[in-house]
Amino acid sequence: MIRFLLAAGFICVSFFINAQPATTNTLVSPQDFLGYRIGERFTPHHRVLAYAEQIARQAPGRVKLLPYGTTYEGRPLMAVVVASEANIARLDEIRTDNLKRVGLTEGTPGNGTKPAIAWISYNVHGNEAVSSETFMDVLYSLLDTKNAVSQKILTNAVVILDPGLNPDGHDRYVNWYNQMQGRVANPTPFAREHNEPWPGGRYTHYYFDPNRDWAWQTQEITQQRMALYHQWMPHLHADFHEMGVESPYYFAPSAKPYHEDITPFQRDFQNTIGQYCSRYFDRNGWLYYTRERFDLFYPSYGDTWPTYNGAIGMTYEQGGSGRAGLAVLKADGDTLTLRQRIDHHVAASIATLESVADRAPEVVKAFGEYFDKAKTSPVGPYKSYVIKSNGDAGRMSALRQLLDRNQIRYGFARSEGRTPDASGTGAATTTQATASKAKKGSTTGGGISGFNYFSQKTESNIKIAPEDLVISAYQPKSTLLKILFEPKSALEDSITYDITAWSLPYAFGLPTYGLTSRIEPSAVPEIQNPKSPIQNSPYAYLARWQSMPSVQLLAGLLKQKIKVRAAEKPFEMGGQKYTAGTLLITRAGNERLGARFDQLVQAEAQKLNVTLTPVQTGFVTKGSDFGSDFVLALQPPRVGIVIGEGMSPTASGEVWHYFDQELNYPASLINGSDLGNIDWTKLDILVMPTGFAYGRILNDRTLAAIRTWIQGGGKLIAMERAADALMGKDGFELKEKADSDKGESKKVGSASAEKGKKAALDTLKVYADREREAVSDETPGSIYRISLDTTHPLAFGLGTDYYALVQEAHNFDVLKEGWNVGYLKADNYVAGFAGRNAKEKLKNTLSMGVQQLGRGSVVYLADNPLFRGFWYSGKLLFGNAVFMVGN
């Protein structure tokens, strides 16, 4: 029998529970293919893809498969294109014409019909598994030749469906749930099938949240998907999710804050989609809400990143998620079933596709105009950006990689000592910008001014070196460029869903200038500095300690049992200055390797593009010689990472990913509950990422064992709430700041008292403002400048100031006996939202410190330097904590 009638005007999409759908579709249904009705059980990823492959074989004129990669665990990634036969026949023409129209591919688009391109992403969070089930129903419904709405959609739009953005997380959840369920689903909320074990299926293999990775592209599934996305540049992107069991359905329009650069058309179309979705939901009597919770601000979501790339982007949220299973009892007494959740998502999918199909010419036109404006009249005050390398090829290379992945074009300065051509003739047409001829009035002799991101001031007479990166805002990706580089993002509402600051110059620690004038770069630096040939048998190799490749080089050498030293103090030799932390790879101590020493060292450096400086002596002209006590002998540490129940999966995963993927260095994952039973003699470093269970894990017995291990030479790295858990504990120096107002009493007269009472009544809390008042104590991702003790190994290579992404208003006092390596002064706030109480708490606060405990050390990190894998400067800081501190 028909369960729900999804109708909007004259349309009808049917769903069934107890019978085969009575449609006119001649293709195999999901039920016939799988052997069970959609909604009766969860489907593994490979079976979802197998159904898509079967449909593609049956309808090759209307379906095209787009395999685009593989996950870390070896699962295939694939998108499915669905369109009319006419549109499939000219699919590549439609795709390339769209890229030509927006300027991402050279050429002039043809005159053929231009259907809208609509992309729907399902299951980015693995345990929001309703989405992959939804995909099969949507695919089957779109191909029903007698369904008028489906035919309209496929005629006016090319539909791209991605059935599972996060297959590893999806199958982690599905495999677990299918093992837990019995013959009949148990809706009791405390039944085990509703209590997913750590880390849950939400995250990727390394426990990253892939819905926060669209811009940063640190994870393999994101990198491969975005490469495919750029081959299509859809006009609409819909991102399907789930939320808590008790919540009804959410669809557009989004909540505030909207980023200021979202266009009026994009804002208006949010309402259009809401109107279409509401028709479907109203006719069926389903509850829903709009304009709450889910905003359009942070640039790395599945709705905002497409929006900042010209598309209409939106999020859809169905109540349920991993806790819901096949059926769950809600607080109101109703039972929420998987089939209901699927029906809601299918309705929203079809409604969204219909909205764009009905307005395809308008949508395509607005999309083109978005990029026309980007190329000719870019948003924002800065029309060019100059990023100075300061001799740090690693940081610059990492930034260029991020720009390339986002298809933001850039180039280099034209010649040393003069300004690149201003007011050039047009945007470049390749990823690394080509030179353009200057118009009359071009600046040629310096004298330009620009906003210095680090000093927060406008400066004049900026000198641009040939190795400096130059980015013109006159290019297709201008809006995304502006948003990723903006020093301070305008926030129209302080109640937001995620971090509020992300500016790339601070994340990468690269001196940057925003220029109000337009300059066009050259394709490559005019001055090349080829690496000096390395002599056969130098006394030592020097490698500067300045960014992630330096850490990778050290890790690679130590893993091969090559002994490496590091300069504790700056030194000079051969007419060059070297900073503290410089790696000294001496032949002394590595004699057992013979000629292989040179081969191994040079091969590792070449692999990482690290410049080695060969020297024939250990005698320096200024500073400490290579045999001095002020040269650190670095050891290959045996590393453990605390994971498991009560730990933050993402924080644990970021540390795991750092060692496993970025350093390729071994680390043992240790369940927190096992810390009381491990052999501490097999461990040199223990990393404690943030978590909520340290109060339980660090019982007296375990804490005593850790303390004894540190005193014997171990090193503990405590991050965020792990540092909180050590605060005030016996043997650990970290303390909370004293409240200077605590215990003070004030004597007031009766008149003053009455006046005070009236003032208090005037400031009574308002219930409706409770959410807004709560954020006064929060700092949901703001940027602060950390003042550093640059002489300490924890600060090697970071420069005088380090920019941190602060997510909690920690309240650590300075260490009385230990080393206060990084701290927040009263004026160190830079960007992002921080509540008034949080700002006060963060003044004059310890950010990073090191305590000596016996022969070992404790590193306290108030903030997470590896947050989401995109805060590049933090990777060197964490490398210092691992390899430099305590030697």
Side-chain angles (χ1 to χ4, degrees):
M1 77 180 215
I2 299 178
R3 181 172 186 198
F4 295 113
L5 180 67
L6 303 182
F10 55 88
I11 71 162
C12 176
V13 182
S14 301
F15 300 92
F16 299 78
I17 288 185
N18 299 317
Q20 175 73 21
T23 71
T24 56
N25 203 330
T26 59
L27 303 177
V28 63
S29 69
Q31 175 179 332
D32 287 341
F33 181 82
L34 298 170
Y36 53 86
R37 298 181 183 91
I38 293 290
E40 288 185 342
R41 63 184 294 114
F42 287 106
T43 308
H45 178 70
H46 74 279
R47 294 292 288 158
V48 175
L49 295 194
Y51 178 68
E53 291 165 349
Q54 175 62 25
I55 292 296
R57 285 190 291 270
Q58 289 186 293
R62 292 180 291 157
V63 178
K64 182 178 177 60
L65 304 181
L66 300 175
Y68 66 87
T70 307
T71 71
Y72 278 131
E73 295 179 15
R75 294 181 177 87
L77 298 163
M78 185 173 73
V80 181
V81 180
V82 191
S84 66
E85 290 189 358
N87 285 336
I88 286 288
R90 51 188 291 266
L91 193 60
D92 198 55
E93 175 192 338
I94 293 169
R95 181 183 68 81
T96 56
D97 275 358
N98 184 52
L99 297 180
K100 292 173 184 176
R101 175 67 184 86
V102 302
L104 293 180
T105 295
E106 294 184 6
T108 303
N111 297 321
T113 304
K114 295 176 176 59
I117 301 174
W119 186 308
I120 296 184
S121 289
Y122 295 118
N123 215 176
V124 67
H125 291 142
N127 62 356
E128 297 170 8
V130 62
S131 290
S132 292
E133 312 297 326
T134 299
F135 158 78
M136 292 184 281
D137 263 355
V138 170
L139 177 61
Y140 186 65
S141 297
L142 286 175
L143 293 169
D144 187 346
T145 58
K146 300 299 183 182
N147 186 304
V149 172
S150 296
Q151 294 310 297
K152 175 177 63 175
I153 290 170
L154 299 191
T155 298
N156 297 337
V158 170
V159 178
I160 302 174
L161 305 174
D162 191 330
L165 277 65
N166 179 14
D168 292 348
H170 173 268
D171 277 5
R172 188 185 309 133
Y173 173 74
V174 169
N175 291 337
W176 168 80
Y177 186 87
N178 287 343
Q179 292 175 49
M180 296 300 104
Q181 72 172 108
R183 293 181 60 189
V184 178
N186 185 342
T188 308
F190 54 76
R192 68 172 184 170
E193 63 197 73
H194 301 296
N195 291 279
E196 193 181 358
W198 194 95
R202 176 184 178 90
Y203 306 110
T204 64
H205 175 77
Y206 287 102
Y207 312 152
F208 275 65
D209 186 331
N211 193 42
R212 272 77 174 169
D213 195 42
W214 283 70
W216 320 131
Q217 300 179 43
T218 67
Q219 298 304 289
E220 88 294 5
I221 58 174
T222 317
Q223 293 165 11
Q224 294 170 102
R225 182 177 69 255
M226 301 319 296
L228 179 66
Y229 190 104
H230 276 117
Q231 293 174 27
W232 289 89
M233 290 299 290
H235 309 125
L236 176 143
H237 182 264
D239 193 23
F240 280 77
H241 291 262
E242 289 188 86
M243 52 184 164
V245 166
E246 302 298 335
S247 298
Y249 202 91
Y250 164 84
F251 49 72
S254 299
K256 290 183 178 181
Y258 279 50
H259 193 280
E260 62 181 348
D261 296 321
I262 297 174
T263 68
F265 179 81
Q266 290 172 319
R267 293 169 187 252
D268 290 344
F269 214 92
Q270 290 267 323
N271 287 308
T272 299
I273 290 169
Q275 291 164 3
Y276 273 75
C277 288
S278 66
R279 291 184 212 164
Y280 282 69
F281 278 65
D282 289 346
R283 189 170 296 265
N284 287 279
W286 297 334
L287 291 176
Y288 58 89
Y289 68 96
T290 64
R291 303 181 182 89
E292 295 176 20
R293 290 189 62 199
F294 303 102
D295 58 63
L296 288 174
F297 192 68
Y298 170 67
S300 200
Y301 277 134
D303 53 6
T304 50
W305 189 92
T307 297
Y308 304 152
N309 281 271
I312 302 151
M314 74 293 297
T315 288
Y316 300 81
E317 295 273 356
Q318 163 64 48
S321 198
R323 187 165 175 76
L326 294 181
V328 65
L329 188 65
K330 300 198 302 176
D332 62 8
D334 286 343
T335 298
L336 176 66
T337 67
L338 176 59
R339 181 67 256 184
Q340 289 172 324
R341 292 150 61 199
I342 294 168
D343 291 345
H344 300 164
H345 261 355
V346 172
S349 298
I350 297 298
T352 301
L353 293 174
E354 187 184 11
S355 74
V356 74
D358 282 345
R359 301 189 178 196
E362 181 184 359
V363 169
V364 174
K365 180 174 180 289
F367 190 73
E369 290 172 347
Y370 182 96
F371 288 93
D372 287 341
K373 181 179 179 182
K375 291 179 284 186
T376 59
S377 182
V379 297
Y382 305 131
K383 306 309 175 186
S384 309
Y385 300 86
V386 174
I387 301 98
K388 304 192 76 63
S389 70
N390 281 4
D392 193 337
R395 289 179 197 264
M396 188 64 83
S397 177
L399 176 62
R400 289 174 60 185
Q401 183 182 67
L402 179 61
L403 296 175
D404 287 342
R405 286 174 174 167
N406 283 280
Q407 293 205 0
I408 294 173
R409 297 166 179 170
Y410 59 85
F412 294 86
R414 291 181 177 277
S415 62
E416 187 169 14
R418 74 180 187 93
T419 305
D421 293 337
S423 303
T425 59
T429 56
T430 60
T431 300
Q432 294 178 337
T434 57
S436 57
K437 297 179 180 179
K439 291 182 177 179
K440 291 181 179 179
S442 296
T443 305
T444 58
I448 60 170
S449 63
F451 174 79
N452 184 329
Y453 278 67
F454 285 10
S455 71
Q456 299 272 297
K457 297 177 181 177
T458 298
E459 300 176 0
S460 58
N461 297 317
I462 299 168
K463 186 176 181 180
I464 304 176
E467 68 271 15
D468 294 343
L469 205 68
V470 176
I471 310 175
S472 170
Y474 293 82
Q475 61 167 298
K477 290 298 195 85
S478 174
T479 301
L480 180 64
L481 165 68
K482 182 263 185 184
I483 292 169
L484 295 183
F485 272 76
E486 56 194 1
K488 287 182 170 65
S489 301
L491 191 64
E492 64 177 333
D493 194 317
S494 57
I495 301 175
T496 184
Y497 200 63
D498 212 287
I499 64 172
T500 56
W502 49 79
S503 186
L504 293 182
Y506 301 123
F508 281 81
L510 286 167
T512 300
Y513 295 88
L515 312 181
T516 56
S517 57
R518 175 181 179 179
I519 60 176
E520 292 296 331
S522 296
V524 294
E526 292 182 357
I527 299 177
Q528 300 289 337
N529 292 312
K531 296 177 182 178
S532 302
I534 295 178
Q535 302 177 26
N536 290 333
S537 300
Y539 177 87
Y541 296 96
L542 309 185
R544 297 183 184 275
W545 186 259
Q546 52 192 9
S547 55
M548 190 58 177
S550 307
V551 188
Q552 292 168 321
L553 174 65
L554 174 60
L557 295 175
L558 291 178
K559 199 168 70 166
Q560 297 181 76
K561 296 182 170 40
I562 296 174
K563 294 184 178 180
V564 183
R565 302 165 187 261
E568 185 180 320
K569 297 181 178 181
F571 66 94
E572 296 179 19
M573 67 184 307
Q576 295 291 317
K577 295 181 178 180
Y578 295 89
T579 60
T582 297
L583 300 181
L584 314 176
I585 313 162
T586 59
R587 192 171 301 278
N590 291 299
E591 295 89 348
R592 60 185 172 74
L593 296 172
R596 292 182 60 242
F597 169 71
D598 300 280
Q599 297 168 5
L600 292 172
V601 173
Q602 292 183 31
E604 194 70 26
Q606 185 175 17
K607 179 177 70 176
L608 297 165
N609 199 29
V610 173
T611 299
L612 294 175
T613 302
V615 294
Q616 294 299 329
T617 178
F619 182 77
V620 303
T621 54
K622 186 177 181 180
S624 299
D625 296 327
F626 292 2
S628 166
D629 288 342
F630 292 105
V631 172
L632 309 176
L634 305 181
Q635 303 299 322
R638 297 166 298 174
V639 179
I641 306 167
V642 179
I643 65 163
E645 198 68 42
M647 299 298 105
S648 163
T650 54
S652 302
E654 287 151 7
V655 179
W656 180 23
H657 182 267
Y658 179 85
F659 283 102
D660 203 42
Q661 286 292 325
E662 299 193 76
L663 293 188
N664 190 22
Y665 191 87
S668 300
L669 305 181
I670 305 169
N671 284 319
S673 57
D674 293 335
L675 286 178
N677 302 307
I678 67 173
D679 182 354
W680 290 99
T681 65
K682 305 288 194 223
L683 207 60
D684 300 309
I685 295 175
L686 182 67
V687 182
M688 292 182 8
T690 193
F692 305 94
Y694 284 112
R696 169 176 52 83
I697 292 171
L698 298 179
N699 55 47
D700 291 344
R701 177 174 170 271
T702 300
L703 201 57
I706 292 175
R707 191 166 49 243
T708 301
W709 166 74
I710 297 171
Q711 291 169 335
K715 179 163 57 182
L716 181 67
I717 302 175
M719 304 165 68
E720 301 181 281
R721 294 189 181 185
D724 284 340
L726 297 175
M727 194 162 51
K729 293 291 195 304
D730 183 32
F732 295 91
E733 193 183 339
L734 190 65
K735 300 287 189 297
E736 191 172 23
K737 285 188 300 186
D739 186 348
S740 59
D741 296 327
K742 188 177 291 185
E744 289 187 8
S745 60
K746 298 180 180 179
K747 297 181 179 180
V748 294
S750 58
S752 298
E754 288 300 317
K755 186 177 180 180
K757 288 179 181 178
K758 183 178 183 302
L761 289 172
D762 290 340
T763 58
L764 289 176
K765 294 190 294 183
V766 177
Y767 181 72
D769 294 338
R770 63 194 184 281
E771 186 177 13
R772 197 166 303 283
E773 285 296 319
V775 301
S776 65
D777 295 310
E778 297 177 358
T779 171
S782 52
I783 297 173
Y784 276 77
R785 185 180 69 257
I786 310 296
S787 300
L788 295 176
D789 173 3
T790 58
T791 66
H792 194 280
L794 186 58
F796 283 175
L798 297 179
T800 55
D801 292 303
Y802 166 77
Y803 292 87
L805 192 63
V806 177
Q807 296 180 82
E808 290 191 28
H810 43 80
N811 194 32
F812 298 149
D813 199 359
V814 295
L815 303 177
K816 299 301 186 291
E817 300 295 332
W819 305 107
N820 298 288
V821 184
Y823 44 91
L824 294 173
K825 296 180 180 178
D827 60 348
N828 280 32
Y829 165 81
V830 176
F833 173 76
R836 61 181 182 275
N837 296 339
K839 274 188 175 180
E840 286 301 313
K841 185 185 277 189
L842 286 167
K843 290 180 179 179
N844 303 312
T845 299
L846 179 70
S847 177
M848 56 186 85
V850 178
Q851 173 193 350
Q852 292 300 123
L853 186 57
R855 292 190 294 111
S857 54
V858 184
V859 180
Y860 300 110
L861 298 177
D863 306 297
N864 179 7
L866 303 180
F867 179 69
R868 292 182 184 166
F870 91 95
W871 204 259
Y872 187 81
S873 292
K875 297 178 182 183
L876 180 63
L877 168 62
F878 194 75
N880 285 337
V882 172
F883 294 108
M884 292 292 182
V885 172
N887 285 291

